[in-house]
Amino acid sequence: MEKIQKLRFTVQAICLVLTVTSFFINFKIAMIAIAVLTVFAGVFYCGWICPYGFMQDLFGKFGSLLGIKKIKMPSSLQRILVFSRYVLLALVLLIGSNFVFGLMAFDPHANFLNMLVGSVAGFAAISVIAFFLIVSLLFERPFCNYLCSEGARYGLRGILRIFTIKRDQSLCVNCKKCDKACPMNIKVSKATNLRSPQCINCFQCISVCPFKGALSFGPMSTDEKEKRKYIAIALSALVLFGSFAAYNFFGGKKGVSEEVTTPAAGESNSVQGGGDAFSDAHGIADGTYIGEGVGFKGTTVAQVTVKNQMITSIEVTQTRDDKPWFDRANSAIPDSIIQAQSTDIDLVSGATYSSIGIRDAVKNALENARQ
Ligand code: SF4
Ligand code: SF4
């Protein structure tokens, strides 16, 4: 294994541990830094950080150790299937229907992250996580390649990157070893400056290349033709992102700093009851308490009412999260907490960070109540 692959493995293992300690949830700045890095240098998140990507890599290696030969997707199918995760992402962003969100409840990437931060996953979620890991024994990164909407989102963010994988045609002998090594099924041997949103910056192509310098990672070298292609891609991306932004602005998602009102006390997010030694509100005097948590885009504020040492209602009074994701979390998390009388509840898959924001705001309100 090349030095760079050892380094990548080490970083992936460290990031797995950091995820378990909720580092990426508590230090949003780390995620912002990764997003900025993606814009300039491509999708390091998938190749170096994502715990579920790491698990697929580990199972892939394990399969090789067992002598299982990796299967490659036939080119004709690959040409079609390569779009699948972008179609899924578009459905989530544009339609956001219950059907798509229902499917996302089985998203192994989100469920695996939830498990790492301490949520209990159901049988179906664990089965899907296990399914893609087993498939990884014979097919590299199956979930990343075709179904991960998060990977698609990162890929599109990095499409205009300045730093990328470059192939020096004067040194390349077209042995196609890079194509075989690429876990994302990219035809590296055909590119000069790699622009595919599928690339996860794993550098396996560089590691296997027998000719030093034929493949490298660095600022794009562009001739006139490449420049024109780059400008065309940049303009298309601008139109695409502009459309999303316009959609969000004119009614799709109301977005940032929106005041959100949840069902009032006495409706779905409320309960009647007497003191319960197992309630997180045990020992807390009757009253309404305010707490803050961190959602996907910033602070979430919740107002928690305690009566007879029971949590009787939860109202989220402020969030910065986008409405479809927030609504998904808010339609389930307050009820779950009230039913369980505990903040130790399952998060909503596909709305993980909004769920965490609400849960932590309730936790914080109860902590404040005890002071
Ligand atoms: S494609 Fe999805 S699961 Fe794969 S590494 Fe990227 S975020 Fe993780
Ligand atoms: S092109 Fe190279 S760096 Fe990109 S995913 Fe394939 S092997 Fe990894």
Side-chain angles (χ1 to χ4, degrees):
M1 195 163 42
E2 280 259 340
K3 266 190 199 154
I4 189 76
Q5 295 305 326
K6 282 187 187 156
L7 175 68
R8 191 168 74 92
F9 181 85
T10 310
V11 173
Q12 285 178 306
I14 292 171
C15 288
L16 180 78
V17 175
L18 287 177
T19 307
V20 173
T21 61
S22 298
F23 174 84
F24 295 109
I25 293 169
N26 294 329
F27 293 91
K28 276 268 169 238
I29 191 81
M31 291 310 288
I32 294 169
I34 293 164
V36 172
L37 180 69
T38 307
V39 172
F40 290 101
V43 190
F44 278 95
Y45 175 76
C46 296
W48 293 68
I49 294 166
C50 173
Y52 196 61
F54 180 43
M55 292 309 287
Q56 289 171 84
D57 283 349
L58 280 184
F59 273 71
K61 293 266 176 298
F62 184 54
S64 302
L65 285 177
L66 292 177
I68 301 172
K69 214 167 165 269
K70 291 279 174 303
I71 300 168
K72 280 271 173 199
M73 185 63 74
S75 303
S76 49
L77 265 182
Q78 176 66 18
R79 271 197 285 277
I80 300 164
L81 290 179
V82 75
F83 295 109
S84 51
R85 65 181 197 166
Y86 305 98
V87 172
L88 189 64
L89 176 66
L91 287 176
V92 172
L93 291 177
L94 293 172
I95 306 172
S97 70
N98 286 339
F99 172 70
V100 178
F101 279 129
L103 281 180
M104 288 188 72
F106 298 101
D107 177 349
H109 164 254
N111 287 324
F112 189 66
L113 292 188
N114 288 346
M115 278 172 64
L116 290 181
V117 295
S119 297
V120 183
F123 177 74
I126 292 175
S127 305
V128 179
I129 290 171
F131 172 78
F132 283 104
L133 293 182
I134 290 165
V135 177
S136 303
L137 292 170
L138 41 132
F139 190 96
E140 281 187 293
R141 293 235 181 184
F143 180 71
C144 304
N145 262 288
Y146 307 115
L147 289 169
C148 185
S149 60
E150 190 63 13
R153 197 189 296 256
Y154 271 102
L156 293 176
R157 267 182 209 148
I159 204 157
L160 298 176
R161 59 193 179 270
I162 296 161
F163 288 79
T164 192
I165 302 283
K166 300 188 297 183
R167 187 176 62 95
D168 184 334
Q169 298 188 56
S170 64
L171 295 172
C172 171
V173 294
N174 216 11
C175 64
K176 299 197 190 312
K177 285 192 175 168
C178 50
D179 297 355
K180 283 189 203 117
C182 179
M184 298 302 285
N185 294 296
I186 299 167
K187 296 273 180 236
V188 189
S189 65
K190 289 206 161 63
T192 316
N193 295 292
L194 195 77
R195 196 137 290 294
S196 167
Q198 292 288 100
C199 179
I200 57 171
N201 281 351
C202 67
F203 301 147
Q204 300 221 50
C205 48
I206 299 179
S207 296
V208 298
C209 179
F211 294 95
K212 202 164 184 282
L215 281 178
S216 59
F217 181 77
M220 279 201 314
S221 38
T222 46
D223 55 20
E224 271 312 307
K225 200 174 149 208
E226 280 279 334
K227 247 183 220 155
R228 277 202 293 276
K229 211 163 121 191
Y230 180 77
I231 290 169
I233 294 172
L235 285 176
S236 318
L238 266 178
V239 170
L240 190 71
F241 292 136
S243 316
F244 275 134
Y247 172 77
N248 290 341
F249 188 78
F250 291 111
K253 291 181 245 168
K254 295 229 166 64
V256 184
S257 292
E258 180 181 11
E259 286 281 320
V260 180
T261 308
T262 58
E267 291 179 343
S268 63
N269 289 346
S270 67
V271 72
Q272 305 291 322
D276 179 348
F278 298 106
S279 169
D280 280 4
H282 184 68
I284 294 178
D286 287 2
T288 299
Y289 303 95
I290 308 282
E292 288 184 5
V294 180
F296 187 68
K297 287 191 169 174
T299 306
T300 300
V301 180
Q303 195 171 295
V304 180
T305 303
V306 173
K307 203 168 180 197
N308 297 330
Q309 303 185 56
M310 299 277 283
I311 303 167
T312 56
S313 86
I314 295 168
E315 186 180 345
V316 179
T317 54
Q318 189 187 315
T319 181
R320 294 178 66 86
D321 292 356
D322 291 330
K323 196 165 163 42
W325 281 267
F326 172 76
D327 283 350
R328 249 175 82 67
N330 196 40
S331 65
I333 297 296
D335 282 343
S336 302
I337 293 175
I338 290 167
Q339 267 164 28
Q341 286 297 307
S342 166
T343 51
D344 189 12
I345 38 109
D346 289 348
L347 304 176
V348 177
S349 189
T352 310
Y353 289 102
S354 293
S355 303
I356 289 169
I358 299 171
R359 181 198 66 187
D360 289 355
V362 175
K363 252 189 207 173
N364 180 241
L366 296 176
E367 280 162 15
N368 291 341
R370 291 186 191 282
Q371 283 166 9

